[in-house]
Amino acid sequence: MSFKVKDHYYKKAKRENFLARSVYKLDEIDNKYNVIKKNDRVLDLGYFPGSWIQYVSAKIGNDGLVVGLDIQEINTKLLHIKNVELFRSDIFEVKKLVDLNVSSPFNVVISDMAPKTTGIKCVDQDRSLGLVEEVFNILPIFLGVGGNFVIKIFDSQQAQTFLRANGKKLFQEFYLYKPKSTRSVSKEFFAVGKKYKNQG
Ligand SMILES: C[S@@+](CC[C@H](N)C(=O)[O-])C[C@H]1O[C@@H](n2cnc3c(N)ncnc32)[C@H](O)[C@@H]1O
């Protein structure tokens, strides 16, 4: 079953010229929760190779902006797109809006970041939660009040506890969701926050 799913979305992505099958996860999330709209300014954490960038760029239109950040080398295939800006950096190094060449917070922050996996379940879960905690740390800097949020996380008791404690506190609406296009063997899921609250 898992191979069928992989095969279907992998082939579909190739056919539709997307850089990764992950695009269908964001597509499902966005269709269900209306996270991204025309003219939005969007921050994509862990964008490489860039299928989410392709999706967002088309959705926001020419007056929007999508900024991508990843530790991997800049994907030059995306550089010709007018409303896209890419940075090579570690999430743990980015602390200010000027680090991303912007002067005001984003309308939407999305993160598909995944740690380098070891195959040791609890290590991978801890690393994934470490990335998620860092995103929550920098959220007050990068996400504007009223903004929307999507983040991937490997499932664990600690992850569930962390998200349930922080999600409702920080967002007017908060959901946990596993897209159908996620491989059935995968333990990842997504948290979706809508209408970021004023923390001041
Ligand atoms: C699953 S991929 C993202 C796929 C992407 N959403 C797409 O649609 O093409 C996860 C990415 O997270 C990045 N990543 C992991 N840890 C990171 C960190 N500390 N800072 C920035 N990027 C990171 C990885 O380099 C990897 O490219």
Side-chain angles (χ1 to χ4, degrees):
M1 174 61 192
S2 64
F3 287 112
K4 244 193 203 163
V5 172
K6 174 185 172 186
D7 218 35
H8 170 70
Y9 288 107
Y10 176 83
K11 282 185 183 160
K12 189 168 153 68
K14 284 257 171 229
R15 210 168 47 236
E16 296 178 352
N17 288 320
F18 283 112
L19 290 162
R21 69 194 293 294
S22 347
V23 68
Y24 302 110
K25 301 177 200 171
L26 182 60
D27 183 42
E28 275 186 72
I29 293 166
D30 193 30
N31 281 324
K32 190 169 167 70
Y33 296 108
N34 295 314
V35 178
I36 300 157
K37 61 181 189 316
K38 200 166 166 42
N39 299 337
D40 269 348
R41 295 167 62 257
V42 180
L43 175 59
D44 182 359
L45 301 170
Y47 79 84
F48 192 93
S51 73
W52 282 23
I53 294 273
Q54 292 174 296
Y55 175 93
V56 173
S57 164
K59 182 104 192 239
I60 59 181
N62 288 337
D63 293 330
L65 171 72
V66 55
V67 173
L69 178 91
D70 204 290
I71 39 178
Q72 303 214 42
E73 248 175 63
I74 299 281
N75 188 347
T76 52
K77 287 180 189 157
L78 297 166
L79 287 180
H80 68 283
I81 311 176
K82 283 218 172 69
N83 57 6
V84 174
E85 266 200 57
L86 302 176
F87 291 84
R88 184 181 194 184
S89 178
D90 191 312
I91 175 97
F92 290 92
E93 310 275 306
V94 174
K95 302 284 176 212
K96 298 191 287 280
L97 290 168
V98 287
D99 295 339
L100 298 176
N101 215 7
V102 294
S103 52
S104 54
F106 293 86
N107 308 109
V108 184
V109 173
I110 55 180
S111 170
D112 194 24
M113 276 193 297
K116 261 206 159 80
T117 49
T118 60
I120 304 165
K121 197 171 150 193
C122 60
V123 173
D124 295 342
Q125 287 170 338
D126 278 1
R127 287 186 183 176
S128 168
L129 182 55
L131 289 171
V132 170
E133 285 172 342
E134 182 58 15
V135 175
F136 273 80
N137 283 341
I138 62 171
L139 219 45
I141 304 163
F142 292 106
L143 185 59
V145 172
N148 296 333
F149 178 58
V150 174
I151 191 162
K152 177 168 82 181
I153 187 159
F154 295 171
D155 199 9
S156 69
Q157 191 63 53
Q158 289 96 319
Q160 296 268 352
T161 308
F162 176 83
L163 290 172
R164 285 184 202 286
N166 288 286
K168 287 258 158 63
K169 201 165 72 190
L170 297 179
F171 294 91
Q172 282 182 36
E173 296 171 36
F174 193 75
Y175 311 95
L176 301 181
Y177 180 61
K178 183 157 177 154
K180 288 182 199 65
S181 49
T182 301
R183 290 187 177 102
S184 55
V185 289
S186 171
K187 290 282 177 274
E188 73 184 30
F189 68 95
F190 289 82
V192 179
K194 291 200 67 176
K195 301 180 195 138
Y196 187 53
K197 293 180 193 171
N198 192 337
Q199 295 302 296

